[in-house]
Amino acid sequence: MMSEIAILVPNIGDEQPQQRKRKLESPGSLGAAPIESFPKVDYNPWDDDEIDPVIEKEYHRQFIESDGFDVDHFYIPYGGGVVPHIVEDKYDYPYDIGLFSRLGLHCYNLEKGTSLKLGAINKYNDKLRFTRCLCYHITLEAIDTSSNSLCDFQTCVFKDFFPEQASFLAQTEISRLKVPSGPRPPTYGGPERRWKEDGVDDYYKGKMPKWLTKDDMAAISTKGQFYELQESDFQGNEWLHMYAEFAFHYKWMAHESDLRPFLPLEIKKVIIQTKEESQPCMKLKANNAIFYITFKGNGDPSGAPVEYQAVVRKTMDGISGHICLEVDCLAYKSR
């Protein structure tokens, strides 16, 4: 018998960004390691209350020419600027940054038919959007498992703490092999970065579906849109564990717990819902699908025997480098 011990986080409305003047500062006041490929500009932000046009121009040049991946640390008093982070040990990176990196690689693999996996993370930049979203520009090393070779990779991922239709959302804007910095047309805010709402069928929009009822479970075999994964389906599809990890990460995000000691997760059951593929074995390859995942950790941060039920909705809008995961997750204590 199981009893529910956690419920979904309620959604809150959007907040509008403050329209304030910003001023910028060269790296140094906060001690952040600068990106060495760009020159440093000496500037004391406390000298005046106006924006220094030279510093502002340099900041925007760096941001535009690198798509946000190679930017020095500029102090912006009212927030909103890019904050760079150099990973001292590229193999020992923050767990959540690794998770977002894997999402970018997953998107690229789905589009290109490749088999890249995360090897190391060199650096990442974060930027606050409004008060509810964090955007990450991540530069990483990927391993091409087909040739056992290394390649440099870039992905831009943002997470929404309070999306309208789910409890948590992670969405990529860029998923690509590394592009050298240099003069180029700006992409930030352009059509290749924005999510294309009409690129996704309405079937996969709106409020997230509830967990399947007992009657739904009993009728799975007779419903063409559903498919329960078999043991063989997990082979070569490591990303299924990543989907479960996003739900696990969401559930413990507020507790700032290091989840790596509780990995790998044990996936007990996965049911896929999609109307894109008629053959059950092909539903795993659908661009848009809903996953009902039952899993538990290798131990649990709560210290109790806990089982999780996650609903993960995957959508792709047809623009290269774009994938979106929306997540709801309930935790139950086994008795």
Side-chain angles (χ1 to χ4, degrees):
M1 184 175 181
M2 308 177 77
S3 61
E4 184 179 344
I5 61 171
I7 60 174
L8 298 179
V9 175
N11 294 326
I12 63 173
D14 290 339
E15 296 185 28
Q16 297 300 316
Q18 293 181 331
Q19 299 299 319
R20 301 287 299 272
K21 285 187 176 181
R22 298 171 177 171
K23 61 185 177 183
L24 302 114
E25 176 193 16
S26 67
S29 67
L30 299 184
I35 308 301
E36 295 183 354
S37 58
F38 291 111
K40 307 179 186 66
V41 181
D42 293 328
Y43 176 64
N44 184 351
W46 306 111
D47 286 346
D48 55 66
D49 292 327
E50 298 299 322
I51 300 174
D52 185 302
V54 175
I55 301 299
E56 183 182 28
K57 182 178 180 180
E58 173 65 9
Y59 172 79
H60 287 294
R61 180 191 70 80
Q62 293 185 16
F63 190 92
I64 291 173
E65 291 188 0
S66 70
D67 288 329
F69 289 96
D70 297 315
V71 182
D72 286 333
H73 186 274
F74 292 89
Y75 177 69
I76 299 179
Y78 304 118
V82 168
V83 179
H85 304 267
I86 304 296
V87 181
E88 293 185 4
D89 182 350
K90 64 182 181 180
Y91 302 107
D92 185 20
Y93 40 78
Y95 171 72
D96 59 339
I97 302 302
L99 199 56
F100 299 135
S101 299
R102 290 161 60 194
L103 181 61
L105 290 167
H106 175 51
C107 178
Y108 187 84
N109 288 336
L110 290 175
E111 291 180 350
K112 308 296 185 181
T114 50
S115 54
L116 303 184
K117 64 180 295 185
L118 177 60
I121 295 178
N122 299 309
K123 62 183 179 181
Y124 64 95
N125 301 337
D126 59 43
K127 176 180 171 63
L128 182 66
R129 289 186 179 178
F130 310 124
T131 58
R132 49 179 272 181
C133 300
L134 265 176
C135 182
Y136 298 96
H137 293 78
I138 307 171
T139 302
L140 61 100
E141 294 178 10
I143 302 171
D144 187 340
T145 58
S146 65
S147 61
N148 200 31
S149 59
L150 293 176
C151 58
D152 293 324
F153 193 88
Q154 295 174 324
T155 185
C156 176
V157 185
F158 78 85
K159 66 177 179 181
D160 191 336
F161 301 102
F162 301 107
E164 294 181 1
Q165 309 297 352
S167 298
F168 178 80
L169 179 149
Q171 181 176 306
T172 63
E173 292 185 352
I174 295 175
S175 307
R176 69 189 186 193
L177 297 177
K178 185 177 179 180
V179 175
S181 297
R184 70 185 69 182
T187 64
Y188 188 77
E192 63 268 44
R193 297 285 290 272
R194 292 195 301 266
W195 185 261
K196 186 180 179 183
E197 287 295 337
D198 59 2
V200 179
D201 192 289
D202 289 344
Y203 183 81
Y204 304 100
K205 297 179 182 178
K207 289 292 184 182
M208 290 282 284
K210 301 295 184 181
W211 185 256
L212 297 173
T213 66
K214 290 183 178 180
D215 290 341
D216 290 331
M217 292 285 200
I220 288 298
S221 60
T222 62
K223 294 184 176 181
Q225 295 180 354
F226 292 83
Y227 172 62
E228 182 174 346
L229 267 61
Q230 306 303 307
E231 190 70 28
S232 59
D233 293 320
F234 290 91
Q235 298 177 7
N237 293 305
E238 179 275 339
W239 52 267
L240 289 167
H241 287 266
M242 181 188 68
Y243 285 15
E245 284 186 47
F246 265 103
F248 196 45
H249 164 68
Y250 152 70
K251 206 62 187 174
W252 289 100
M253 184 168 54
H255 297 265
E256 298 184 352
S257 300
D258 186 355
L259 300 181
R260 279 171 284 204
F262 307 103
L263 303 178
L265 300 177
E266 179 187 346
I267 297 182
K268 302 173 73 71
K269 179 182 289 189
V270 178
I271 295 172
I272 301 177
Q273 178 183 3
T274 180
K275 66 176 190 176
E276 289 190 3
E277 302 289 348
S278 58
Q279 296 299 318
C281 62
M282 296 299 293
K283 292 187 182 296
L284 271 171
K285 299 182 182 297
N287 287 335
N288 303 285
I290 301 165
F291 297 78
Y292 302 86
I293 307 172
T294 304
F295 67 92
K296 65 179 182 178
N298 180 24
D300 194 81
S302 68
V306 175
E307 189 169 284
Y308 297 84
Q309 293 179 340
V311 181
V312 180
R313 182 163 62 192
K314 178 192 78 170
T315 50
M316 302 181 75
D317 64 356
I319 297 178
S320 179
H322 285 195
I323 190 171
C324 178
L325 294 186
E326 297 168 275
V327 178
D328 279 348
C329 184
L330 294 172
Y332 293 86
K333 182 178 179 181
S334 299
R335 292 181 178 177

